[in-house]
Amino acid sequence: MSESKDIANELLLVEPGDDSDTNVYSTSSPVKPIPLHSVPLKNPPTYNSIRKSKHSSASKDSNTGKKAHSYDRSKDGNHSRSHTHKSHRSRHSGAHSINPRPTRRDDSRVHTSRSSRVSGTSYTSKKLMLLEEKGDKGSSAETILSRQYVRRSTPPNARRNSRDLIGEDMDVSRQPSEDNKYLHAGSMVSKAETLAVKQALAKRGYVSTKVESVDEEKGPICTVCRGIMALIIVGIIVLIALFATGIISTGQKPPSNSTNVASSTLPFTDIRPRGRSVNRRRLGCEIERCTSPSCACPGTRVPPYPMPIENVPQLILMTWDNRITDHSYSSYFEDLFNGQFKNPNECPIKSTFYIAHHRTNYRLVQKLYHDHHEIASHAITYNVEDWEAEIVGQREIIRNFAYIRSNQIRGFRAPNLTPGGDTMAKALQKNGFEHDSSLIETGHPPKYPYTFEYRRETFCHVQPCPYENSYPGLWELPVTQWVSPVTRGLYGAPYEYVPSSRTEAKEYLWANFNRHYEIDRAPFNLNLHTRWFDEAEYIFDALKEFIAEVLDLGDVYFVTQHQAVQWMQNPIPRHNATLWDLFDCNYEPIPEPRPCFIAESNQCTYNVEGEMVLMETCAPCPPYYPTLYNTDGQTEPTY
């Protein structure tokens, strides 16, 4: 029976109908198999005899126009048979169908070995004889065909592909099995052989419904595969375009730790912030689209959308630049932050300190941090050339000698309020800083904090300003220009003007505060230097009176720069009770180590270019004075 299936799977023979073009798969055209030979043959040929058969004669009868072919069909040569046929047309015109319809079973595919092929005509004769001789096994061709193909001669309609008819030669060396020794299942039918079989069948009055050749190794790529490949190529092109335009970008990893201090030498586990990506410049910021918590348009003169101005609490950002010394702490900071001044939620006022390195007392820096003030970077030197080394280096020095984790040092301010443009912004962005406060903005009207995601449209008072790229997530808390009510002059910082008296100093503070409080309630940047008070002590007295009076308004809060960013990300109306929670004083415990007392601190002295420098710290004294590119003090500097 397996041999019967092989033969039936080779050729599908149906009776031709009246209309030769009728779709043989249509359910309206029943298929009736017709036997090729009703008399079974004896001594069927073997596979080897077929392979050894040779072309014995090929002559043309000039009278009849017929070709004659003779083959030796037996091992011993005793059995021979000749077969003649017309070569130019079928007995029934149009009796064979060119439309193939591949069946869904693999055993219906017609294959043959390259080694067993001869000419197309000889192949036809051999195939027909083999089919007829199968009757010797007890089954006629009609029985074979009816069993194997009539039941599935009407598969569902599908798009025909004429290429399925014609296969390409494939060299297969696998020998046929015993059950299928006539036809090799691992090879295929060539175009010439396919056409020859159809012509021979047409002469006998049969219609070939399928002669399929499939090349599983070299065949054409399927339509689905081509579609998938096209989609992949289009996707790659789109991704390249998105990266090129800066719409999407791969986030840059934070740089490796540049300090030489091993983590085991620190009494805590440092946590470094994750860097962010630098993208291509974006234009046309729209307030309705660039909204909290991650975006705010540059130069915005209105509160975070859509909060009305009358609901905005007035924030005062008291910041301090430069070093922390024994003198500055005992003369000013200890007096201001002893708990006498409190916000409306009864929490002590807070401030942000931008720490410069030279002659700083890191024991006091650690104490201010544990009193819940914000500590930020202010560069190592005042002549900045390598912005990343200055910004990150000062953060590392604070970490090493004030024991403040890197992720808690979130802000930066350029020395002398002289920014470094895109070089500075890139260093802040890739090293995970949250905010900058280096750019001077006009105070008519004052500006709200903004992000660098879109191009800055306001005037750059001190060049260079970040302009070329987009820095998502990096906030700018602008330094608003101050105006003297006496001289009407503009100043980038309040300490650039020295009032002549305590009364004038107080008027100077109130005049600039009211421009914020009465116009748009943008955060009031009170940027201070202790040297301002050293020049005129009455200015410090005027400052304390101003703080006490402004807190009596009931909706004014002295907060850190980081708290201001938190409010911009989550704006809360001034009468909302949750605002108190945002500026609450129920702080999370600060991890160890706690700041040491003065008697426990280390007084580290160094000779720096002929000058004796003292550095006080709760950490062990390093062998050398920490400097740029030597933030741990373990390498001997070269001056």
Side-chain angles (χ1 to χ4, degrees), residues 169-444:
D169 294 342
M170 182 172 66
D171 187 8
V172 179
S173 60
R174 185 171 68 247
Q175 292 297 326
S177 63
E178 184 65 25
D179 293 335
N180 186 18
K181 61 185 180 179
Y182 295 110
L183 300 174
H184 199 296
S187 52
M188 72 178 47
V189 183
S190 67
K191 177 179 178 180
E193 294 166 346
T194 302
L195 295 177
V197 170
K198 289 184 178 182
Q199 292 174 359
L201 294 174
K203 288 183 60 178
R204 297 194 177 193
Y206 300 102
V207 177
S208 176
T209 61
K210 179 176 179 62
V211 181
E212 181 187 6
S213 61
V214 178
D215 189 346
E216 296 180 354
E217 295 183 5
K218 299 182 180 180
I221 302 176
C222 65
T223 304
V224 176
C225 298
R226 286 197 296 267
I228 294 175
M229 292 177 63
L231 289 176
I232 293 174
I233 294 173
V234 171
I236 293 174
I237 295 174
V238 171
L239 286 176
I240 293 174
L242 292 177
F243 276 108
T245 56
I247 296 177
I248 60 174
S249 176
T250 305
Q252 299 184 20
K253 297 181 179 179
S256 60
N257 198 346
S258 61
T259 181
N260 296 325
V261 176
S263 59
S264 59
T265 63
L266 294 173
F268 59 88
T269 301
D270 187 32
I271 303 174
R272 301 179 68 249
R274 179 176 297 180
R276 298 181 299 273
S277 63
V278 176
N279 301 335
R280 292 175 62 88
R281 181 177 60 185
R282 300 183 66 181
L283 307 177
C285 185
E286 299 179 7
I287 297 177
E288 294 80 5
R289 304 179 104 183
C290 179
T291 59
S292 57
S294 61
C295 187
C297 289
T300 302
R301 303 175 184 179
V302 295
Y305 182 82
M307 180 180 290
I309 293 177
E310 57 270 15
N311 289 342
V312 177
Q314 181 62 63
L315 306 183
I316 297 181
L317 311 181
M318 184 190 296
T319 62
W320 303 82
D321 296 356
N322 219 335
R323 64 178 69 95
I324 304 295
T325 63
D326 291 336
H327 167 69
S328 63
Y329 185 84
S330 60
S331 300
Y332 308 117
F333 305 146
E334 201 169 36
D335 194 7
L336 284 176
F337 306 116
N338 58 8
Q340 62 173 320
F341 300 115
K342 295 183 179 180
N343 287 323
N345 60 353
E346 296 299 321
C347 291
I349 63 174
K350 298 302 174 184
S351 186
T352 298
F353 293 86
Y354 290 98
I355 306 299
H357 170 56
H358 193 56
R359 294 185 179 275
T360 285
N361 187 325
Y362 286 99
R363 178 185 67 86
L364 297 176
V365 173
Q366 187 177 359
K367 188 178 188 309
L368 288 170
Y369 173 69
H370 281 264
D371 289 338
H372 304 284
H373 297 285
E374 181 180 6
I375 304 300
S377 175
H378 194 44
I380 298 175
T381 69
Y382 265 67
N383 298 317
V384 179
E385 295 181 357
D386 188 338
W387 281 97
E388 185 168 7
E390 293 274 1
I391 294 170
V392 180
Q394 180 58 17
R395 181 172 71 181
E396 292 176 350
I397 291 177
I398 296 172
R399 178 201 63 188
N400 294 337
F401 302 104
Y403 288 162
I404 302 175
R405 288 164 174 78
S406 297
N407 66 337
Q408 299 299 308
I409 305 171
R410 303 179 179 94
F412 172 78
R413 175 172 285 166
N416 300 318
L417 295 178
T418 304
D422 286 279
T423 304
M424 178 190 75
K426 286 179 182 178
L428 295 172
Q429 184 79 345
K430 68 181 294 187
N431 289 283
F433 282 83
E434 176 191 70
H435 60 267
D436 171 72
S437 185
S438 305
L439 305 185
I440 298 176
E441 295 282 0
T442 181
H444 303 283

Side-chain angles (χ1 to χ4, degrees), residues 76-211:
D76 51 5
N78 294 329
H79 180 76
S80 63
R81 180 177 180 175
S82 63
H83 176 65
T84 61
H85 64 87
K86 293 181 181 180
S87 62
H88 62 279
R89 65 178 297 176
S90 160
R91 186 173 63 184
H92 297 277
S93 63
H96 62 280
S97 171
I98 303 300
N99 260 340
R101 179 64 173 96
T103 63
R104 301 189 180 274
R105 294 185 54 172
D106 294 337
D107 59 356
S108 64
R109 296 175 178 178
V110 178
H111 300 288
T112 185
S113 171
R114 175 188 294 271
S115 59
S116 65
R117 284 201 204 107
V118 287
S119 68
T121 307
S122 62
Y123 173 84
T124 302
S125 302
K126 234 184 291 187
K127 299 288 280 186
L128 295 175
M129 288 185 291
L130 287 176
L131 183 62
E132 294 177 355
E133 290 169 358
K134 272 301 179 178
D136 190 51
K137 298 292 183 178
S139 299
S140 65
E142 180 178 3
T143 305
I144 295 172
L145 293 175
S146 62
R147 287 178 181 175
Q148 300 297 325
Y149 286 93
V150 172
R151 289 176 297 177
R152 54 179 191 268
S153 62
T154 58
N157 289 331
R159 186 178 63 178
R160 289 357 183 219
N161 189 345
S162 60
R163 287 178 295 181
D164 291 338
L165 275 173
I166 302 171
E168 298 178 0
D169 294 342
M170 182 172 66
D171 187 8
V172 179
S173 60
R174 185 171 68 247
Q175 292 297 326
S177 63
E178 184 65 25
D179 293 335
N180 186 18
K181 61 185 180 179
Y182 295 110
L183 300 174
H184 199 296
S187 52
M188 72 178 47
V189 183
S190 67
K191 177 179 178 180
E193 294 166 346
T194 302
L195 295 177
V197 170
K198 289 184 178 182
Q199 292 174 359
L201 294 174
K203 288 183 60 178
R204 297 194 177 193
Y206 300 102
V207 177
S208 176
T209 61
K210 179 176 179 62
V211 181

Side-chain angles (χ1 to χ4, degrees), residues 573-586:
R574 58 176 179 162
H575 298 303
N576 195 314
T578 56
L579 180 65
W580 286 27
D581 297 333
L582 180 62
F583 304 138
D584 197 3
C585 47
N586 294 325

